[in-house]
Amino acid sequence: AKASGRNAIRWFAPRMLAENNDRLALSAALRQALDQDELSLVYQPQVDLATGEVVGVEALARWTSPSLGSVPPDRFIPVAEDGGMIAQLGDWVLSTACTALARVQEQLGRPLRLAVNVSPRQLRGRAWLEEIAAAIETAGIEPSQLEVEITEGLLIEDHGDVVAMLESLRSLGVTIVVDDFGRGYSSLAYLTRFPIDKIKIDRSFVQEISTAENAAIVDAIIVMAHALDMTVVAEGVETAAQERYLLDRGCDEVQGYLYSPGVPAGSLEMVTRALSRQ
Ligand code: C2E
Ligand code: CA
Ligand code: CA
Ligand code: CA
């Protein structure tokens, strides 16, 4: 046992070291990226299933680093969280996206909603609420157009503070969405304890919707959300069969490659018009 323990150390230590270096390098590069305009946003349309109209967009962060190439958000968001950069990144996302939305809806001649992803760690403190109010005001959009997507984890981890924060956010008129619903956490009680307006069904259920088990989960989420007076959106919709199923079950909104991937702000008017015509 001792020998294999030593082997294990020899085996793992260099790898851990490499991962650590990797993360440090990533962290340093990201810090620089935030100051040097290497980050951008794409916007993925959200479609009203009943009417086929584009009703909103979700802002998704992108990073192309001159030295590291394109780094996916699943990699750099955790680095920003651990490195104390998430507040700066989050504020940048918010103000950039609100400004882009104002512009696109002017081109379209009609309002759209904007969903932004918010890390649990961004929610700490009043400064963030003020930042949201300021971004909305500066861009000249309505608070009711903004949706904040949070993950279930946040609702499990924290209590008093989070409820108070979400309540204030909601009293501004902002919509609270639970992202990745159904993934990883089993307590449903928080749905009534927290001020939640909308549930986003995790794409893992949508993508396996043709299996009886996943279909049952999707059905249950839709029924439950509606019983609680919440809107339901399904993410990761890729096929007409998935769309058909969700439509039959009364899902309110959809988002996924079947409609469009995230696109730069400059393409959003065209993409939105094309989708709404279909
Ligand atoms: P998410 O919020 O669940 O975003 C949905 C992800 O699914 C996006 O990946 C999107 O590009 C991808 N997607 C959309 N439609 C489809 C589809 O039909 N099929 C498949 N397979 N995937 C689809 P992306 O852009 O790589 O973002 C990954 C995650 O990174 C996001 O997951 C979100 O948790 C996080 N993220 C992205 N931007 C931000 C941000 O500005 N702030 C924070 N805090 N997190 C962000
Ligand atoms: Ca999201
Ligand atoms: Ca999601
Ligand atoms: Ca996610």
Side-chain angles (χ1 to χ4, degrees):
K2 211 166 178 191
S4 79
R6 273 243 283 307
N7 277 340
I9 288 166
R10 268 213 299 277
W11 175 251
F12 282 114
R15 216 171 74 187
M16 278 169 58
L17 203 64
E19 266 165 29
N20 231 334
N21 277 337
D22 219 52
R23 227 168 144 87
L24 277 176
L26 210 59
S27 186
L30 182 59
R31 207 171 293 277
Q32 194 176 316
L34 278 164
D35 294 329
Q36 296 183 357
D37 264 9
E38 292 169 22
L39 294 177
S40 61
L41 292 176
V42 293
Y43 301 86
Q44 186 175 36
Q46 300 178 318
V47 173
D48 181 305
L49 248 184
T51 66
E53 280 271 323
V54 175
V55 287
V57 294
E58 177 180 7
L60 296 162
R62 295 289 177 263
W63 175 23
T64 308
S65 151
S67 53
L68 304 165
S70 127
V71 184
D74 282 331
R75 275 194 75 208
F76 70 77
I77 295 290
V79 171
E81 288 174 335
D82 292 346
M85 294 168 272
I86 195 67
Q88 190 189 349
L89 192 152
D91 291 350
W92 174 82
V93 168
L94 201 60
S95 59
T96 305
C98 287
T99 306
L101 180 78
R103 206 197 164 101
V104 170
Q105 62 187 16
E106 198 177 299
Q107 295 168 336
L108 286 171
R110 70 179 177 92
L112 286 180
R113 291 193 314 252
L114 168 69
V116 292
N117 293 284
V118 167
S119 294
R121 288 189 209 180
Q122 257 175 279
L123 283 169
R124 311 286 143 93
R126 283 208 57 78
W128 185 67
L129 270 181
E130 282 158 20
E131 200 64 45
I132 291 202
I136 289 171
E137 163 115 32
T138 305
I141 65 169
E142 296 297 320
S144 61
Q145 292 180 264
L146 186 65
E147 299 186 344
V148 162
E149 297 196 359
I150 55 177
T151 48
E152 284 178 273
L154 175 76
L155 306 178
I156 304 292
E157 285 163 19
D158 257 277
H159 295 291
D161 282 6
V162 174
V163 177
M165 173 71 77
L166 295 180
E167 294 284 5
S168 335
L169 198 55
R170 202 195 215 178
S171 64
L172 279 180
V174 172
T175 298
I176 317 287
V177 185
V178 181
D179 203 352
D180 301 341
F181 187 80
R183 182 159 87 191
Y185 295 90
S186 52
S187 168
L188 295 177
Y190 65 78
L191 285 181
T192 57
R193 279 208 307 270
F194 292 89
I196 295 160
D197 304 294
K198 191 167 178 176
I199 288 177
K200 187 178 266 193
I201 305 175
D202 191 61
R203 71 166 180 265
S204 57
F205 301 115
V206 175
Q207 290 183 340
E208 302 290 318
I209 216 164
S210 57
T211 70
E213 292 86 350
N214 284 289
I217 289 171
V218 168
D219 294 356
I221 294 175
I222 294 171
V223 169
M224 182 187 60
H226 286 163
L228 294 171
D229 242 345
M230 297 170 186
T231 306
V232 198
V233 49
E235 68 176 1
V237 178
E238 293 181 356
T239 69
Q242 291 162 355
E243 176 190 65
R244 179 81 238 165
Y245 187 88
L246 292 160
L247 180 64
D248 284 346
R249 298 299 154 137
C251 181
D252 303 296
E253 292 167 16
V254 280
Q255 181 181 348
Y257 297 157
L258 179 63
Y259 312 96
S260 171
V263 298
S267 311
L268 203 48
E269 182 197 3
M270 191 189 75
V271 168
T272 298
R273 286 191 194 281
L275 275 173
S276 293
R277 248 199 321 272
Q278 277 169 13

